[in-house]
Amino acid sequence: NQQPQTLVLFGTKLGSRPLMQQIDLHGVTARHRVDGVAAASPHVAVLLATHNSSRFIAEQLESLTRNHRPFTLYWVDDESTDSTVEDIRSLAARLGIRLVELRAARALGVPGTFFFLLDQVEADVYLFCDHDDIWEPGKIDATVAEILKYGDEPVFCFSEPKLFVDGHEQSCRRYFDVIGVSEKEALDIRKALVFNPAVGNTVGINRSLRDLYLTHATVAKSGAAMHDWWLYLLAATSGKVRFMTGCPTTLYRQHRGNALGVTMKPWALKLSTLWAKQKRYRLVVARQAKAYIAVANALDRTDTRDTLLGTAAVLARVAERQSLRAIATIISGRNQPVGALRALTFLVGCLLSDAR
């Protein structure tokens, strides 16, 4: 029942933050006004990044409307060459979605587009929206309700998405089942720097966690593997991480154009492909581990922080070839990736090669 409202904003560069401080969207501010009186309803921001999304965007936007809680869709397009921009403007107007369009000065990719949106948008609750998925009815309502339970403490909420191959929406499989990992292993904090259990299209965070990210945004943009993974690490260290079960979640579409999809049959990959993937993965893990060390040393000391710092010290070196002793340290600390094949290729790669 939201009234369509569109505002186009222009960013100057990645990391600038003046935009949202200069505007009044007549009811889109953090405190809505009802009959002239400030209401306590939280301002919910759904953050959407697109690139050549015309094929899928209608299903995604339509799914957002199957919620009761009001929200604003903040959107940046990453230099699409198809009809994405026109499609979204038209769809938002038709569906009654309140839309705020932001523009970056250059192509940002992922996670750059989502960091850009976090930089620019002031809200109480943030949900990350990919362009090619479908949200189950009530997903926004359930995620926001969970986040609001924890007040001003930094909070990160997520659920387990359901994967489907494009064209087969009725044949969904749970994410952890597809990648071959138990819920207990996925949520093991000792794995947190080699495996991200939180798929971004299910994630919601509050303002406190967003502000914590902003404090260390420069490090995040240079070192984070993905926006969702980085925010998960921050919340695990200095706030709350909530894994939501039995709730509406995301139908996570798998197709050839995924920016970061799931390998449904990793055992079917060629050996050369597996070898190249483990090298790229080790570079990412090492870079993010170094970034985490840089930020965690400035955060309050907790048991989780100390555990992750110990893990990060080990993983910061995995871009280099490792000794048998170093491999034994990784295994004893349970710091290898989840899944037998992923763990094996990671450990063998560390033992036999330099990833750089």
Side-chain angles (χ1 to χ4, degrees), residues 241-276:
V241 172
R242 306 303 301 169
F243 176 54
M244 301 169 59
T245 60
C247 64
T249 188
T250 298
L251 304 184
Y252 183 10
R253 189 191 309 265
Q254 302 300 298
H255 58 93
R256 292 181 180 273
N258 282 119
L260 187 67
V262 176
T263 303
M264 305 288 276
K265 298 179 180 179
W267 59 87
L269 295 175
K270 295 180 180 179
L271 182 59
S272 59
T273 301
L274 281 172
W275 196 250

Short mmCIF file of all heavy atoms in Angstrom, two decimals, residues 241-276:
data_model
loop_
_atom_site.label_atom_id
_atom_site.label_comp_id
_atom_site.label_asym_id
_atom_site.label_seq_id
_atom_site.Cartn_x
_atom_site.Cartn_y
_atom_site.Cartn_z
N VAL A 241 24.84 -12.27 16.26
CA VAL A 241 24.52 -12.95 15.01
C VAL A 241 23.34 -13.85 15.28
O VAL A 241 23.37 -14.68 16.20
CB VAL A 241 25.71 -13.78 14.49
CG1 VAL A 241 25.29 -14.62 13.30
CG2 VAL A 241 26.87 -12.88 14.10
N ARG A 242 22.28 -13.70 14.51
CA ARG A 242 21.08 -14.50 14.69
C ARG A 242 20.79 -15.29 13.42
O ARG A 242 20.58 -14.72 12.35
CB ARG A 242 19.87 -13.61 15.01
CG ARG A 242 20.08 -12.69 16.19
CD ARG A 242 20.44 -13.43 17.46
NE ARG A 242 19.42 -14.39 17.84
CZ ARG A 242 19.60 -15.30 18.80
NH1 ARG A 242 20.75 -15.40 19.42
NH2 ARG A 242 18.61 -16.11 19.10
N PHE A 243 20.77 -16.61 13.54
CA PHE A 243 20.41 -17.49 12.43
C PHE A 243 18.93 -17.83 12.59
O PHE A 243 18.53 -18.49 13.54
CB PHE A 243 21.27 -18.74 12.45
CG PHE A 243 20.90 -19.74 11.39
CD1 PHE A 243 20.82 -19.38 10.06
CD2 PHE A 243 20.63 -21.06 11.73
CE1 PHE A 243 20.49 -20.30 9.08
CE2 PHE A 243 20.30 -22.00 10.77
CZ PHE A 243 20.22 -21.61 9.43
N MET A 244 18.13 -17.36 11.66
CA MET A 244 16.69 -17.52 11.73
C MET A 244 16.26 -18.81 11.03
O MET A 244 16.66 -19.06 9.90
CB MET A 244 15.99 -16.32 11.07
CG MET A 244 16.33 -14.99 11.70
SD MET A 244 15.74 -13.59 10.70
CE MET A 244 13.97 -13.93 10.67
N THR A 245 15.46 -19.59 11.70
CA THR A 245 14.94 -20.84 11.12
C THR A 245 13.42 -20.82 11.15
O THR A 245 12.81 -20.09 11.92
CB THR A 245 15.45 -22.06 11.90
OG1 THR A 245 15.03 -21.97 13.27
CG2 THR A 245 16.98 -22.13 11.86
N GLY A 246 12.82 -21.63 10.29
CA GLY A 246 11.37 -21.72 10.25
C GLY A 246 10.70 -20.41 9.87
O GLY A 246 9.59 -20.12 10.33
N CYS A 247 11.36 -19.63 9.02
CA CYS A 247 10.85 -18.31 8.64
C CYS A 247 10.91 -18.16 7.12
O CYS A 247 11.61 -18.92 6.44
CB CYS A 247 11.68 -17.21 9.31
SG CYS A 247 13.40 -17.19 8.76
N PRO A 248 10.20 -17.17 6.57
CA PRO A 248 10.33 -16.92 5.13
C PRO A 248 11.77 -16.56 4.77
O PRO A 248 12.44 -15.84 5.51
CB PRO A 248 9.39 -15.73 4.90
CG PRO A 248 8.45 -15.74 6.05
CD PRO A 248 9.24 -16.27 7.21
N THR A 249 12.24 -17.06 3.65
CA THR A 249 13.62 -16.83 3.24
C THR A 249 13.67 -16.47 1.76
O THR A 249 12.66 -16.10 1.15
CB THR A 249 14.49 -18.05 3.57
OG1 THR A 249 15.87 -17.74 3.33
CG2 THR A 249 14.09 -19.28 2.77
N THR A 250 14.85 -16.60 1.17
CA THR A 250 15.06 -16.24 -0.23
C THR A 250 15.12 -17.48 -1.11
O THR A 250 15.78 -18.46 -0.76
CB THR A 250 16.38 -15.45 -0.38
OG1 THR A 250 16.29 -14.25 0.38
CG2 THR A 250 16.67 -15.12 -1.83
N LEU A 251 14.44 -17.42 -2.23
CA LEU A 251 14.61 -18.43 -3.27
C LEU A 251 15.77 -17.94 -4.14
O LEU A 251 15.66 -16.94 -4.85
CB LEU A 251 13.34 -18.59 -4.09
CG LEU A 251 12.07 -18.92 -3.30
CD1 LEU A 251 10.90 -19.16 -4.25
CD2 LEU A 251 12.27 -20.13 -2.39
N TYR A 252 16.89 -18.63 -4.05
CA TYR A 252 18.18 -18.20 -4.57
C TYR A 252 18.38 -18.83 -5.95
O TYR A 252 18.69 -20.00 -6.07
CB TYR A 252 19.26 -18.63 -3.59
CG TYR A 252 20.68 -18.24 -3.86
CD1 TYR A 252 21.04 -17.34 -4.86
CD2 TYR A 252 21.70 -18.78 -3.07
CE1 TYR A 252 22.36 -17.00 -5.08
CE2 TYR A 252 23.02 -18.43 -3.28
CZ TYR A 252 23.35 -17.55 -4.28
OH TYR A 252 24.66 -17.21 -4.50
N ARG A 253 18.21 -18.02 -6.99
CA ARG A 253 18.24 -18.52 -8.36
C ARG A 253 19.68 -18.79 -8.81
O ARG A 253 20.57 -17.93 -8.67
CB ARG A 253 17.60 -17.50 -9.30
CG ARG A 253 17.38 -18.01 -10.72
CD ARG A 253 17.00 -16.87 -11.66
NE ARG A 253 15.90 -16.06 -11.18
CZ ARG A 253 14.63 -16.23 -11.50
NH1 ARG A 253 14.28 -17.20 -12.33
NH2 ARG A 253 13.70 -15.42 -11.01
N GLN A 254 19.90 -19.96 -9.40
CA GLN A 254 21.20 -20.31 -9.97
C GLN A 254 21.11 -20.27 -11.50
O GLN A 254 20.24 -20.92 -12.09
CB GLN A 254 21.64 -21.71 -9.52
CG GLN A 254 21.72 -21.86 -8.01
CD GLN A 254 22.72 -20.91 -7.39
OE1 GLN A 254 23.92 -20.95 -7.68
NE2 GLN A 254 22.23 -20.01 -6.53
N HIS A 255 21.99 -19.48 -12.11
CA HIS A 255 21.98 -19.35 -13.57
C HIS A 255 23.38 -18.96 -14.03
O HIS A 255 24.26 -18.66 -13.23
CB HIS A 255 20.94 -18.32 -14.02
CG HIS A 255 21.15 -16.95 -13.45
ND1 HIS A 255 21.88 -15.98 -14.09
CD2 HIS A 255 20.74 -16.39 -12.27
CE1 HIS A 255 21.89 -14.87 -13.35
NE2 HIS A 255 21.21 -15.10 -12.25
N ARG A 256 23.59 -18.93 -15.31
CA ARG A 256 24.92 -18.69 -15.86
C ARG A 256 25.48 -17.31 -15.53
O ARG A 256 26.69 -17.12 -15.50
CB ARG A 256 24.90 -18.87 -17.39
CG ARG A 256 24.67 -20.30 -17.85
CD ARG A 256 24.69 -20.40 -19.38
NE ARG A 256 24.46 -21.76 -19.85
CZ ARG A 256 25.42 -22.65 -20.01
NH1 ARG A 256 26.68 -22.32 -19.74
NH2 ARG A 256 25.14 -23.86 -20.44
N GLY A 257 24.60 -16.37 -15.26
CA GLY A 257 25.05 -15.00 -15.02
C GLY A 257 25.24 -14.63 -13.57
O GLY A 257 25.47 -13.46 -13.26
N ASN A 258 25.16 -15.59 -12.63
CA ASN A 258 25.33 -15.27 -11.21
C ASN A 258 26.65 -14.56 -10.97
O ASN A 258 27.72 -15.01 -11.42
CB ASN A 258 25.32 -16.54 -10.35
CG ASN A 258 23.94 -17.10 -10.11
OD1 ASN A 258 23.66 -18.22 -10.50
ND2 ASN A 258 23.07 -16.32 -9.48
N ALA A 259 26.59 -13.43 -10.21
CA ALA A 259 27.83 -12.76 -9.81
C ALA A 259 28.61 -13.65 -8.86
O ALA A 259 29.84 -13.71 -8.91
CB ALA A 259 27.50 -11.43 -9.13
N LEU A 260 27.89 -14.36 -7.99
CA LEU A 260 28.54 -15.30 -7.08
C LEU A 260 27.54 -16.40 -6.78
O LEU A 260 26.77 -16.33 -5.83
CB LEU A 260 28.96 -14.60 -5.77
CG LEU A 260 29.79 -15.43 -4.80
CD1 LEU A 260 31.15 -15.75 -5.39
CD2 LEU A 260 29.96 -14.72 -3.47
N GLY A 261 27.53 -17.42 -7.62
CA GLY A 261 26.59 -18.51 -7.45
C GLY A 261 27.18 -19.64 -6.63
O GLY A 261 28.24 -19.54 -6.03
N VAL A 262 26.45 -20.75 -6.59
CA VAL A 262 26.87 -21.93 -5.86
C VAL A 262 27.19 -23.02 -6.85
O VAL A 262 26.40 -23.29 -7.77
CB VAL A 262 25.76 -22.40 -4.90
CG1 VAL A 262 26.16 -23.69 -4.19
CG2 VAL A 262 25.43 -21.31 -3.89
N THR A 263 28.35 -23.66 -6.69
CA THR A 263 28.71 -24.79 -7.55
C THR A 263 27.89 -26.00 -7.11
O THR A 263 28.14 -26.58 -6.05
CB THR A 263 30.21 -25.10 -7.44
OG1 THR A 263 30.96 -23.93 -7.78
CG2 THR A 263 30.60 -26.24 -8.38
N MET A 264 26.89 -26.35 -7.89
CA MET A 264 25.95 -27.39 -7.49
C MET A 264 26.59 -28.78 -7.49
O MET A 264 26.22 -29.64 -6.71
CB MET A 264 24.74 -27.37 -8.42
CG MET A 264 24.04 -26.01 -8.51
SD MET A 264 23.12 -25.58 -7.04
CE MET A 264 21.56 -26.44 -7.35
N LYS A 265 27.56 -29.01 -8.41
CA LYS A 265 28.22 -30.32 -8.49
C LYS A 265 29.74 -30.11 -8.57
O LYS A 265 30.34 -30.29 -9.63
CB LYS A 265 27.72 -31.08 -9.72
CG LYS A 265 26.23 -31.39 -9.72
CD LYS A 265 25.81 -32.12 -10.98
CE LYS A 265 24.32 -32.44 -10.99
NZ LYS A 265 23.92 -33.13 -12.24
N PRO A 266 30.37 -29.76 -7.44
CA PRO A 266 31.80 -29.46 -7.48
C PRO A 266 32.66 -30.64 -7.92
O PRO A 266 33.73 -30.46 -8.50
CB PRO A 266 32.12 -29.04 -6.03
CG PRO A 266 31.01 -29.63 -5.21
CD PRO A 266 29.81 -29.62 -6.10
N TRP A 267 32.19 -31.86 -7.65
CA TRP A 267 32.96 -33.05 -8.03
C TRP A 267 33.02 -33.24 -9.55
O TRP A 267 33.84 -33.99 -10.05
CB TRP A 267 32.36 -34.29 -7.37
CG TRP A 267 30.93 -34.51 -7.76
CD1 TRP A 267 30.46 -35.18 -8.84
CD2 TRP A 267 29.76 -34.00 -7.09
NE1 TRP A 267 29.09 -35.14 -8.88
CE2 TRP A 267 28.63 -34.44 -7.83
CE3 TRP A 267 29.57 -33.24 -5.94
CZ2 TRP A 267 27.34 -34.12 -7.42
CZ3 TRP A 267 28.28 -32.94 -5.56
CH2 TRP A 267 27.19 -33.37 -6.30
N ALA A 268 32.15 -32.54 -10.28
CA ALA A 268 32.11 -32.68 -11.73
C ALA A 268 33.05 -31.69 -12.43
O ALA A 268 33.20 -31.74 -13.65
CB ALA A 268 30.69 -32.49 -12.24
N LEU A 269 33.68 -30.81 -11.66
CA LEU A 269 34.58 -29.83 -12.25
C LEU A 269 35.88 -30.47 -12.71
O LEU A 269 36.36 -31.44 -12.10
CB LEU A 269 34.89 -28.71 -11.24
CG LEU A 269 33.71 -27.83 -10.80
CD1 LEU A 269 34.17 -26.87 -9.72
CD2 LEU A 269 33.13 -27.08 -11.98
N LYS A 270 36.48 -29.93 -13.74
CA LYS A 270 37.78 -30.40 -14.18
C LYS A 270 38.84 -30.09 -13.12
O LYS A 270 38.72 -29.11 -12.38
CB LYS A 270 38.17 -29.73 -15.50
CG LYS A 270 37.28 -30.10 -16.68
CD LYS A 270 37.75 -29.38 -17.94
CE LYS A 270 36.88 -29.72 -19.14
NZ LYS A 270 37.32 -29.00 -20.37
N LEU A 271 39.88 -30.92 -13.08
CA LEU A 271 40.94 -30.71 -12.10
C LEU A 271 41.58 -29.34 -12.26
O LEU A 271 41.87 -28.65 -11.26
CB LEU A 271 42.00 -31.80 -12.25
CG LEU A 271 43.17 -31.75 -11.24
CD1 LEU A 271 42.64 -31.85 -9.81
CD2 LEU A 271 44.17 -32.87 -11.53
N SER A 272 41.76 -28.89 -13.49
CA SER A 272 42.37 -27.59 -13.73
C SER A 272 41.49 -26.46 -13.19
O SER A 272 41.98 -25.45 -12.66
CB SER A 272 42.63 -27.37 -15.22
OG SER A 272 41.41 -27.46 -15.96
N THR A 273 40.17 -26.63 -13.29
CA THR A 273 39.24 -25.64 -12.77
C THR A 273 39.28 -25.61 -11.25
O THR A 273 39.31 -24.53 -10.63
CB THR A 273 37.82 -25.94 -13.24
OG1 THR A 273 37.78 -25.93 -14.67
CG2 THR A 273 36.84 -24.91 -12.71
N LEU A 274 39.28 -26.78 -10.63
CA LEU A 274 39.38 -26.86 -9.17
C LEU A 274 40.67 -26.20 -8.67
O LEU A 274 40.68 -25.49 -7.66
CB LEU A 274 39.34 -28.32 -8.72
CG LEU A 274 37.98 -29.00 -8.66
CD1 LEU A 274 38.14 -30.49 -8.38
CD2 LEU A 274 37.11 -28.35 -7.59
N TRP A 275 41.77 -26.45 -9.39
CA TRP A 275 43.06 -25.92 -8.98
C TRP A 275 43.07 -24.39 -9.06
O TRP A 275 43.56 -23.70 -8.16
CB TRP A 275 44.18 -26.51 -9.82
CG TRP A 275 45.54 -26.33 -9.23
CD1 TRP A 275 46.54 -25.52 -9.68
CD2 TRP A 275 46.06 -26.99 -8.07
NE1 TRP A 275 47.64 -25.62 -8.87
CE2 TRP A 275 47.38 -26.52 -7.88
CE3 TRP A 275 45.53 -27.93 -7.18
CZ2 TRP A 275 48.17 -26.95 -6.83
CZ3 TRP A 275 46.32 -28.36 -6.13
CH2 TRP A 275 47.63 -27.87 -5.96
N ALA A 276 42.51 -23.86 -10.13
CA ALA A 276 42.45 -22.41 -10.28
C ALA A 276 41.54 -21.79 -9.22
O ALA A 276 41.85 -20.72 -8.67
CB ALA A 276 41.95 -22.05 -11.68
#
